[in-house]
Amino acid sequence: MTRRSFLCSLPSAAALTAARRRAPNVIFILMDDLGWADVGCNGSTFYETPHIDRLAREGVRFTNAYAAAPVCSPTRASIMTGKYPARLGLTNYLPGKHPLPNSRMIGTEQAQMLPHAETTLAEGLRAAGYHTGHVGKWHLGEKGFWPEDQGFDVNIGGTMSGMPRSHFYPQWQDNPPLVGKPGEYLTDRLTDEAEQFVRSPRDRPLEFLHFCH
């Protein structure tokens, strides 16, 4: 099943009562610029990734999958919509131009945001009764096109920014827009926020968390 057909197959409101009893909670972990060999389950002896290794060991591994693009913004837009980057007009990181002035490649006109007209994974799941949350990097448009404008009930740290000023507070202050403690490590903070989202009680029984770092 493709991502697009998955979105189209989400249940209608009339079918939600029975579906909620068997529908799973979803945590989508997206690692920006993670190399194939950067995790233990793929043979790394340098990086220690015990939790990812356990997910790989106890779950299902897809060993023949490809990113839609070699950079962040178009890849994330493709995941969110199920469309190829060229169909979205998003073929480079934002703000960006493609092709570059010295390129011989013929490219599409570069969009500067993920359009509201697109149906995102979060919008589809929210319509199916999910409580949706985004934690971490977004980088898909200026204010007005942030996660809360694209189907997410909760947005923690997602803005137009492609990278933080620093991974330690207060150097990261306002980028992302999270108030921290002196010396606080951003990865730890985002992980704590993700855990809090999962554990917080709410009236909707299903959860979808997009955790990007």
Side-chain angles (χ1 to χ4, degrees):
M1 178 179 285
T2 65
R3 288 171 299 210
R4 195 69 184 168
S5 60
F6 168 73
L7 281 174
C8 294
S9 68
L10 291 172
S12 64
L16 288 181
T17 301
R20 281 180 180 138
R21 297 194 187 104
R22 60 180 182 273
N25 291 316
V26 180
I27 299 177
F28 191 111
I29 305 172
L30 180 60
M31 302 299 293
D32 199 323
D33 296 331
L34 178 73
W36 181 86
D38 291 345
V39 289
C41 58
N42 284 340
S44 174
T45 57
F46 182 80
Y47 299 105
E48 297 179 0
T49 56
H51 300 300
I52 297 296
D53 298 345
R54 181 180 175 184
L55 284 173
R57 186 171 61 252
E58 298 181 1
V60 177
R61 297 181 64 184
F62 296 90
T63 57
N64 193 25
Y66 300 87
V71 289
C72 54
S73 298
T75 300
R76 190 173 299 103
S78 180
I79 289 170
M80 283 291 113
T81 63
K83 289 186 175 182
Y84 287 111
R87 288 198 174 274
L88 298 167
L90 262 166
T91 55
N92 202 354
Y93 57 83
L94 300 179
K97 296 180 180 179
H98 191 76
L100 299 175
N102 60 348
S103 174
R104 296 183 178 181
M105 209 160 47
I106 299 174
T108 183
E109 183 178 350
Q110 176 73 12
Q112 297 300 321
M113 78 293 288
L114 178 63
H116 288 148
E118 299 295 335
T119 299
T120 67
L121 185 59
E123 287 170 331
L125 288 171
R126 187 164 68 178
Y130 278 78
H131 182 73
T132 57
H134 169 88
V135 178
K137 181 179 177 180
W138 180 245
H139 201 190
L140 283 175
E142 297 287 354
K143 190 172 180 61
F145 294 87
W146 289 0
E148 61 266 37
D149 306 301
Q150 303 281 13
F152 287 96
D153 297 308
V154 175
N155 171 28
I156 300 170
T159 65
M160 177 57 173
S161 175
M163 61 185 296
R165 293 193 184 94
S166 168
H167 282 84
F168 296 92
Y169 194 83
Q171 284 78 16
W172 92 51
Q173 189 164 5
D174 299 325
N175 186 19
L178 297 171
V179 177
K181 302 174 183 177
E184 186 175 13
Y185 184 47
L186 182 57
T187 299
D188 290 342
R189 172 62 180 277
L190 293 176
T191 301
D192 290 343
E193 295 283 357
E195 290 179 352
Q196 183 176 344
F197 175 86
V198 171
R199 293 171 178 168
S200 297
R202 53 185 55 88
D203 56 356
R204 277 179 279 176
L206 300 172
E207 296 177 344
F208 168 60
L209 174 64
H210 176 235
F211 183 26
C212 181
H213 190 57

